[in-house]
């Protein structure tokens, strides 16, 4: 009975992990540029004395759904969205380079360009700082930044830098606990001149709420089945003990 109990318990554990992944996706249905997580488990034979007639569940690292989210028009000059594949380069809390699809940008008090989570945007030569005060910001499709200094004529635009846009192979990327993506090797991705952006648009989350809810219900039902198996194992164990007492 201990084998049955172990198999059911391992399955229930994976169901709980899967539920937490789906719950995290649902919590980020309105997060700009969020990429959904997909849980992964696989059946592994339980080898031992006798035939390998039982399998248990083994957890694998969740994979990411890199499909693009819906484009939301905002007409705000600091709202950007990657067209097709590619990533914005940002500086994480430790000062290292990371990658994000969050194009909701803000201008800091010292002229630093940041995303909505407070990560500094990286350009060709490091963190992007814009000269302030300024009256207007223009961001071209290739990420080139131009500003009109405060008080300057409307026709005057000064080029002050360019966003670092990258497009590494997603197979070589990992998601961190902070929601940012990095290369598995720890290296910095090379700039890709083919990556382009749209201004006045934000990329929404690619989470499908209906699909996530259906998956959560399915996982919960499967968890209940595993619990029933554990209770069945307990009853069988009790019956076996009763037979031993009779003998």
């Amino acid at each position: 009975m201990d084998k049955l109990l172990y198999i059911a318990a391992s399955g229930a554990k994976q169901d709980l992990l899967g539920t937490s992944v789906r719950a995290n996706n649902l919590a980020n249905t309105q997060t700009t540029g969020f990429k959904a997580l997909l849980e992964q488990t696989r059946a592994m034979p339980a080898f031992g004395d006798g035939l390998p007639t039982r399998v248990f569940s083994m957890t694998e690292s969740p994979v990411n759904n890199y499909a693009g989210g819906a484009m939301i028009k905002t007409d705000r000059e600091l709202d950007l969205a990657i067209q097709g594949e590619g990533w914005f380069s940002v500086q994480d809390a430790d000062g290292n380079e990371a990658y994000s699809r969050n194009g909701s940008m803000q201008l800091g008090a010292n002229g630093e360009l940041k995303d909505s989570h407070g990560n500094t945007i990286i350009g060709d030569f490091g963190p992007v700082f814009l000269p302030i005060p300024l009256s207007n910001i223009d961001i071209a499709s290739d990420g080139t930044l131009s500003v009109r200094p405060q008080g300057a004529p409307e026709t005057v635009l000064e080029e002050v830098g360019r966003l670092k846009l990258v497009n590494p192979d997603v197979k070589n990327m990992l998601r961190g606990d902070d929601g940012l993506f990095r290369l598995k090797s720890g290296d910095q991705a090379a700039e890709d001149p083919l990556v382009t952006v749209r201004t006045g648009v934000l990329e929404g989350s690619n989470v499908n709420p209906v699909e996530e809810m259906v998956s959560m219900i399915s996982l919960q039902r499967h968890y209940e089945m595993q619990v029933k198996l554990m209770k069945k194992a307990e009853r069988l164990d009790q019956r076996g003990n009763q037979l031993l007492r009779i003998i």
Side-chain angles (χ1 to χ4, degrees), residues 127-234:
V128 174
F129 284 85
L130 302 180
I132 54 175
L134 50 83
S135 298
N136 185 43
I137 303 174
D138 180 77
I139 304 176
S141 61
D142 65 350
T144 299
L145 298 160
S146 301
V147 302
R148 177 164 63 89
Q150 191 171 26
E154 293 186 2
T155 56
V156 174
L157 280 177
E158 298 179 1
E159 186 176 319
V160 294
R162 186 172 180 270
L163 301 177
K164 182 180 180 182
L165 304 174
V166 303
N167 188 23
D169 189 339
V170 294
K171 295 179 181 178
N172 299 326
M173 301 184 75
L174 288 174
R175 187 201 302 254
D177 293 336
D178 54 4
L180 299 175
F181 292 80
R182 298 168 180 83
L183 294 182
K184 294 179 181 178
S185 63
D187 298 330
Q188 295 182 3
E191 188 172 358
D192 190 337
L194 298 180
V195 179
T196 57
V197 299
R198 291 177 60 187
T199 307
V201 178
L202 286 177
E203 179 186 358
S205 170
N206 69 349
V207 174
N208 184 327
V210 175
E211 181 180 329
E212 297 301 323
M213 285 298 300
V214 171
S215 295
M216 284 192 68
I217 293 172
S218 176
L219 287 167
Q220 289 170 354
R221 295 291 182 268
H222 197 260
Y223 176 80
E224 292 172 359
M225 182 188 71
Q226 304 287 6
V227 172
K228 289 180 180 178
L229 283 174
M230 286 188 277
K231 291 181 178 178
K232 181 68 174 180
E234 181 183 15

Side-chain angles (χ1 to χ4, degrees), residues 11-58:
K13 178 184 177 183
Q14 307 316 316
D15 290 333
L16 286 176
L17 291 173
T19 301
S20 66
V21 169
R22 298 294 179 171
N24 180 67
N25 288 342
L26 279 174
N28 286 280
T29 54
Q30 301 300 320
T31 301
T32 302
F34 180 81
K35 300 302 179 188
L37 279 165
L38 304 173
E39 77 277 5
Q40 281 195 121
T41 58
R42 59 175 171 146
M44 290 293 293
F47 294 100
D49 296 335
L51 297 174
T53 57
R54 292 178 175 82
V55 295
F56 64 94
S57 299
M58 186 177 77

Side-chain angles (χ1 to χ4, degrees), residues 88-100 112-115 117-123 125-129 178 180-182 188:
F88 297 107
S89 300
V90 301
Q91 190 176 65
D92 63 17
D94 297 325
N96 300 316
E97 184 170 304
Y99 309 103
S100 168
E112 67 270 29
L113 193 62
K114 297 187 175 185
D115 66 15
H117 298 299
N119 302 303
T120 302
I121 304 300
I122 292 178
F125 304 103
V128 174
F129 284 85
D178 54 4
L180 299 175
F181 292 80
R182 298 168 180 83
Q188 295 182 3

